[in-house]
Amino acid sequence: MSKQVVHAACPHDCPDACGVLITVENGRGTKIQGDPEHPVTRGFLCAKVAKYLDRVYSPHRVLYPMRRIAPKGSVLNASGTAESADSSQAFGRISWDEALDEIASRFRSIISEFGSEAILPYSYGGNLGALNAASMDRRFFARLGASQLERSICSSAGEAGLISVLGVKLGTEPEQFVHSRYIIAWAANIHGNNVHLWPFIAEARRKGAKLVVIDPYRTRTAACADWYLPINPGTDSALALAMMHVIIAENLYDADYVAKYTLGFEHLREKVKDYPPQTVSQWTGIDADDIRKLAREYATVQPAVIRLNYGVQRSEGGGMATRAIAMLPCITGSWEHVGGGLQLSTSSAFGLNKEELTRPDLKPDDSNRQPRSVNMVELGVALNTLSDPPVKALFVYNSNPAAVCPNHNEVIRGLKRPDLFTVVHEQFLTDTTDYADIVLPATTFFEHKDLLAAYGHYYLQISNQAIDPLGECRSNVELFRALAGRLGFDDACFGESIDQMIDSALRSKNPWLRGIDRQRLEREKHVRLNFGASGSHSDEVSASAAPYVPFLPFARGNFRTPSGRAELYSEAIKALGLHPVAEFKPASESRHGSERKKFPLEMLARKADNFLNSTFSNVPPVQAMEETGLLEINSADARMRGIADRDRVRVYNQRGEIFLRARVDGTVQPGVVSARLNWAKLTPDGKNVNVLTSEKLSDLGNSATFYSVLVEVESAGD
Ligand SMILES: Nc1nc2c(c(=O)[nH]1)N[C@H]1C(S)=C(S)[C@@H](COP(=O)(O)OP(=O)(O)OC[C@H]3O[C@@H](n4cnc5c(=O)[nH]c(N)nc54)[C@H](O)[C@@H]3O)O[C@H]1N2
Ligand SMILES: Nc1nc2c(c(=O)[nH]1)N[C@H]1C(S)=C(S)[C@@H](COP(=O)(O)OP(=O)(O)OC[C@H]3O[C@@H](n4cnc5c(=O)[nH]c(N)nc54)[C@H](O)[C@@H]3O)O[C@H]1N2
Ligand code: SF4
Ligand SMILES: [Mo]
């Protein structure tokens, strides 16, 4: 009998990056729990990861390499439980050697006929470990000369908006929320997507803080807020500009902070004149008096903090919306206060040595050209229309594009192409493996070691391997190492061990990593970045563990924009043809937009609170927590269409249709409907909400616009 407790870190695409303890008995994981010593995630896990043993030891794990033996698109199951039970009808088991040989020979022949850019890697957030997210894979595809993938499906609009003001992705520490007196959850589904922030907010509220939620959807967080402001989707830039209209007109801004640390305040003062509360009320659906009250309270109750999340930027004007909101703490000076500021992302702080990890300098022997880049949001377009060269091979890992990509019907049309060679490295037989020629088995985080940063806090962790890989599973790192060998790439970097790769990731110029090495991470499990006494990036910091001093990234300016100031006016934004301050432009698919006449209802194609994008959709105890197949609709819109609660409805637009059950419970306002993401093949008609979404890109960052979608709904009988 052996029993040990192994420290790991959750690598799912979630801001919390929890510290995890896995109990292992005789080589088998028997218990998973949160690490009580982790200062932010403090000993609990979200409901889905608390059920992780059911995922790791699921009878439906992909455990061996397989080759397709039936036509693409054979749906392996529609029942929602036994997705691999009849995989033998679609796939035949092969050895790793056979799989690697076949991939290598198909790649060689595609390269000789079409060139290496005919090969497209496709990966996203399945695993955020520094090594398994982006290391050996990037080295491999760079050396191969494959097309580059623009990884823009999630956050690039908001990142561009934030960076246009702050120059960097840094924000308020979650621990500091306990000191806040005014908290705005702005497009932030905290109970659903960022649950470890909640205890800090709850503690602040016990001490008298006010929680305001700005969201078109009444989330659980909204339901328990002190003040819930339902906003019309995609109108947040107007709201932020109206708040600044009031704050500036009533002299509630911090003139000292503005003078010292911002650029372009006079331009902002001019611009916000276009956004008086009365006008903005018509766009946002928020009462003008409420806008005034929000602005006054936000500017005068200090410390005030904004938890902004990425919901605000999944719309056509999402970059500008993030930019406008990010200006708020810069004009009130709330960055100076412990418990003030704003958090969208903390990820820039880690500054791992990505160059070493990903080696963008690697190139095919015969090439000096930078390969073309394909936007992952436009996968359907790429597969169906790209030429010169066409996409002839698709290599999917860390992603489930047949579920998560917009305009699903076009994606599927592309994936069905018989001449497209598709490899999918997966833990489960997903919507995407239904179109794979080769399926390869992937480890879970129980089965490999990695280094984990975070985007919702400032702790770095080592995630240790707890158990041996199940079956013949390999991690992303080991898969691409093996493939590099098969293709004869003999660069030394393909031979680096996991520990060497972790060491090189930590060998960085970032002063906040000073004194943090692998050995220390292994010893201490989680280490807060070394911010030194003031947290200023330019400060000399000592190498030893410092006592906790609150990190205030912009208390004394230190913005990382070209001017070194918070850029309320941006030449870079102007160069993109956008208003250099900020402005509200209605999304074309919205109630005020150019396509408003086509379909009357604004749809939020949301994430599920209990799944993680499409991950966990197939895990029975997690399925039991999440009711799928619902269309949330307001009673006024339902009545108008003769729809009652629980009725079957058809939801459609120019791109597709799905059948759902109406839920009429006041979650959404008139004019807005909502449905949630899950595996398409687990629905009766094999389709999910992404049949309705479009591959139109956002104003900044070429990101996806899952929340700028117009639809119509009709009763569908039974
Ligand atoms: N349980 C769970 N957790 C997750 C995920 C998941 O799928 N499930 N996904 C993970 C991933 S990949 C990410 S990127 C993060 C994202 O986490 P969030 O950024 O929180 O992402 P969303 O759920 O897209 O949006 C947050 C909220 O914004 C609201 N919203 C939508 N449109 C608008 C708008 O125009 N204005 C305003 N003010 N609000 C709007 C939505 O209704 C939603 O409640 O969460 C991660 N965590
Ligand atoms: N309608 C709608 N669509 C959306 C969104 C939305 O809110 N609404 N959200 C968007 C957002 S924010 C995001 S981030 C994207 C997410 O898109 P994806 O990153 O594709 O997210 P998942 O659906 O979680 O799929 C990840 C897959 O990776 C696999 N995986 C996990 N770990 C590993 C590993 O170590 N190796 C390999 N090879 N595979 C692994 C999992 O089993 C899972 O099937 O979806 C986007 N799509
Ligand atoms: S998904 Fe998020 S909340 Fe859940 S365990 Fe992982 S990091 Fe923690
Ligand atoms: Mo995301």
Side-chain angles (χ1 to χ4, degrees):
M1 280 291 276
S2 79
K3 179 171 174 174
Q4 57 182 143
V5 177
V6 179
H7 177 268
C10 176
H12 284 288
D13 189 347
C14 170
D16 297 6
C18 286
V20 173
L21 299 177
I22 303 166
T23 305
V24 182
E25 293 175 83
N26 297 320
R28 188 179 167 93
T30 54
K31 187 176 173 193
I32 180 167
Q33 64 191 112
D35 179 359
E37 288 174 16
H38 192 290
V40 175
T41 63
R42 303 198 293 187
F44 73 100
L45 300 172
C46 63
K48 55 198 179 297
V49 172
K51 311 274 190 309
Y52 216 72
L53 293 174
D54 289 290
R55 187 164 190 274
V56 173
Y57 295 110
S58 162
H60 308 304
R61 277 284 298 276
V62 175
L63 296 176
Y64 311 100
M66 297 188 289
R67 175 194 286 130
R68 173 166 296 284
I69 54 176
K72 290 188 190 189
S74 316
V75 173
L76 298 180
N77 86 310
S79 72
T81 47
E83 73 269 14
S84 64
D86 47 5
S87 68
S88 59
Q89 290 161 26
F91 295 105
R93 181 173 168 182
I94 56 175
S95 69
W96 266 103
D97 275 335
E98 287 172 286
L100 295 170
D101 283 342
E102 179 160 344
I103 297 166
S105 81
R106 289 292 294 263
F107 276 14
R108 283 202 187 94
S109 73
I110 287 169
I111 291 169
S112 73
E113 196 176 340
F114 298 96
S116 54
E117 286 176 310
I119 300 168
L120 178 67
Y122 198 95
S123 76
Y124 201 68
N127 188 326
L128 296 195
L131 273 47
N132 282 289
S135 67
M136 223 40 120
D137 56 319
R138 306 298 166 94
R139 296 174 184 181
F140 172 77
F141 288 114
R143 181 69 178 73
L144 192 66
S147 284
Q148 307 268 334
L149 185 71
E150 187 175 357
R151 289 179 171 81
S152 54
I153 202 165
C154 170
S155 58
S156 52
E159 289 172 354
L162 189 76
I163 287 172
S164 74
V165 180
L166 310 179
V168 64
K169 289 179 281 171
L170 294 175
T172 310
E173 286 180 293
E175 303 94 302
Q176 285 184 39
F177 278 64
V178 297
H179 302 296
S180 307
R181 293 193 55 231
Y182 200 80
I183 301 170
I184 302 181
W186 198 321
N189 176 11
I190 293 167
H191 283 95
N193 300 352
N194 178 205
V195 64
H196 292 84
L197 184 61
W198 184 253
F200 297 105
I201 293 177
E203 194 179 330
R205 292 177 83 195
R206 281 195 292 276
K207 296 194 286 181
K210 179 165 182 174
L211 173 66
V212 184
V213 172
I214 303 172
D215 195 311
Y217 183 98
R218 201 192 52 187
T219 59
R220 248 173 81 201
T221 313
C224 63
D226 298 292
W227 192 18
Y228 169 44
L229 291 165
I231 185 171
N232 292 334
T235 62
D236 302 79
S237 50
L239 177 61
L241 287 161
M243 286 172 73
M244 292 191 279
H245 175 106
V246 175
I247 291 169
I248 294 173
E250 300 184 5
N251 259 316
L252 302 176
Y253 61 96
D254 181 337
D256 190 46
Y257 190 91
V258 164
K260 271 197 199 133
Y261 301 129
T262 71
L263 177 83
F265 183 73
E266 289 312 315
H267 292 277
L268 177 66
R269 186 199 288 281
E270 264 317 292
K271 187 65 193 166
V272 297
K273 288 183 181 152
D274 300 343
Y275 295 88
Q278 302 88 310
T279 309
V280 168
S281 174
Q282 294 160 33
W283 291 320
T284 57
I286 301 176
D287 208 67
D289 282 337
D290 283 340
I291 297 175
R292 284 186 205 100
K293 179 175 153 195
L294 176 68
R296 288 173 190 145
E297 288 184 355
Y298 170 72
T300 56
V301 183
Q302 295 283 13
V305 70
I306 299 173
R307 178 43 162 138
L308 175 62
N309 220 326
Y310 287 105
V312 81
Q313 52 94 66
R314 298 189 211 292
S315 55
E316 272 175 55
M320 270 298 180
T322 311
R323 177 169 161 77
I325 295 166
M327 292 177 185
L328 282 162
C330 304
I331 69 162
T332 62
S334 97
W335 288 116
E336 289 181 325
H337 308 147
V338 174
L342 173 148
Q343 188 199 103
L344 175 63
S345 170
T346 61
S347 62
S348 294
F350 293 88
L352 297 175
N353 191 339
K354 296 222 166 110
E355 298 274 304
E356 283 256 346
L357 274 181
T358 61
R359 294 293 306 273
D361 58 299
L362 290 172
K363 295 223 161 53
D365 297 327
D366 56 353
S367 161
N368 261 319
R369 217 154 59 83
Q370 179 71 10
R372 73 173 171 199
S373 181
V374 174
N375 188 321
M376 70 186 302
V377 174
E378 300 173 315
L379 180 61
V381 179
L383 294 180
N384 294 314
T385 66
L386 264 190
S387 55
D388 198 26
V391 178
K392 298 297 285 184
L394 180 71
F395 200 121
V396 180
Y397 57 103
N398 278 351
S399 186
N400 185 12
V404 304
C405 221
N407 206 354
H408 175 89
N409 288 330
E410 281 304 287
V411 173
I412 299 303
R413 187 159 78 87
L415 289 174
K416 274 191 174 153
R417 270 175 42 203
D419 66 314
L420 177 72
F421 176 62
T422 300
V423 181
V424 181
H425 184 223
E426 251 299 350
Q427 298 160 342
F428 290 94
L429 291 171
T430 61
D431 288 336
T432 308
T433 60
D434 284 349
Y435 302 89
D437 294 281
I438 302 275
V439 177
L440 301 170
T443 46
T444 66
F445 77 98
F446 279 35
E447 299 150 70
H448 55 242
K449 183 173 182 178
D450 212 328
L451 171 69
L452 222 89
Y455 62 96
H457 61 68
Y458 291 109
Y459 287 83
L460 196 58
Q461 300 176 83
I462 290 275
S463 186
N464 290 295
Q465 179 177 345
I467 59 171
D468 287 337
L470 299 193
E472 295 181 2
C473 290
R474 292 190 187 177
S475 69
N476 298 354
V477 175
E478 297 310 330
L479 158 65
F480 287 104
R481 188 200 304 287
L483 259 183
R486 268 309 191 284
L487 282 149
F489 300 161
D490 53 11
D491 313 65
C493 66
F494 292 110
E496 275 180 8
S497 70
I498 301 296
D499 282 349
Q500 282 171 330
M501 291 171 77
I502 293 176
D503 292 340
S504 41
L506 293 168
R507 215 177 302 120
S508 149
K509 292 197 186 76
N510 178 10
W512 295 337
L513 283 176
R514 215 166 294 162
I516 303 177
D517 59 13
R518 178 168 52 82
Q519 289 77 6
R520 180 169 163 211
L521 285 165
E522 284 169 348
R523 219 170 38 241
E524 298 177 21
K525 301 189 180 80
H526 44 79
V527 175
R528 185 168 177 260
L529 293 175
N530 193 353
F531 294 123
S534 75
S536 156
H537 202 252
S538 50
D539 269 8
E540 256 318 296
V541 291
S542 82
S544 60
Y548 175 84
V549 177
F551 173 48
L552 299 175
F554 309 116
R556 288 185 280 141
N558 281 313
F559 294 98
R560 292 206 228 149
T561 52
S563 65
R565 290 163 168 258
E567 295 199 349
L568 313 175
Y569 177 100
S570 163
E571 289 295 345
I573 294 293
K574 189 176 171 195
L576 295 171
L578 298 169
H579 194 282
V581 175
E583 85 188 320
F584 167 64
K585 281 196 192 147
S588 54
E589 286 197 36
S590 75
R591 70 184 74 191
H592 301 292
S594 56
E595 295 179 34
R596 66 181 174 276
K597 299 239 167 69
K598 286 193 183 156
F599 299 97
L601 296 167
E602 293 173 324
M603 156 144 259
L604 300 172
R606 288 168 65 82
K607 301 164 185 306
D609 279 0
N610 294 294
F611 303 149
L612 206 139
N613 299 313
S614 79
T615 306
F616 297 94
S617 311
N618 64 322
V619 181
V622 182
Q623 289 173 326
M625 302 187 294
E626 179 78 30
E627 187 177 357
T628 54
L630 296 179
L631 178 84
E632 287 150 314
I633 182 167
N634 186 271
S635 56
D637 294 316
R639 208 175 316 116
M640 205 186 291
R641 292 167 176 78
I643 294 167
D645 194 49
R646 310 306 295 171
D647 277 1
R648 192 161 169 269
V649 292
R650 173 174 173 255
V651 189
Y652 63 95
N653 63 16
Q654 69 272 39
R655 291 174 290 268
E657 61 172 17
I658 42 170
F659 292 86
L660 299 166
R661 294 246 161 229
R663 165 62 58 86
V664 188
D665 66 355
T667 301
V668 289
Q669 299 290 304
V672 180
V673 294
S674 165
R676 297 179 179 193
L677 188 61
N678 64 343
W679 277 14
K681 69 177 171 186
L682 299 186
T683 65
D685 48 351
K687 296 193 181 300
N688 76 8
V689 68
N690 276 325
V691 299
L692 302 168
T693 56
S694 88
E695 57 283 84
K696 203 169 286 164
L697 302 177
S698 57
D699 55 349
L700 295 175
N702 300 323
S703 199
T705 54
F706 293 110
Y707 298 159
S708 294
V709 177
L710 285 175
V711 299
E712 178 56 294
V713 178
E714 65 185 23
S715 173
D718 253 318

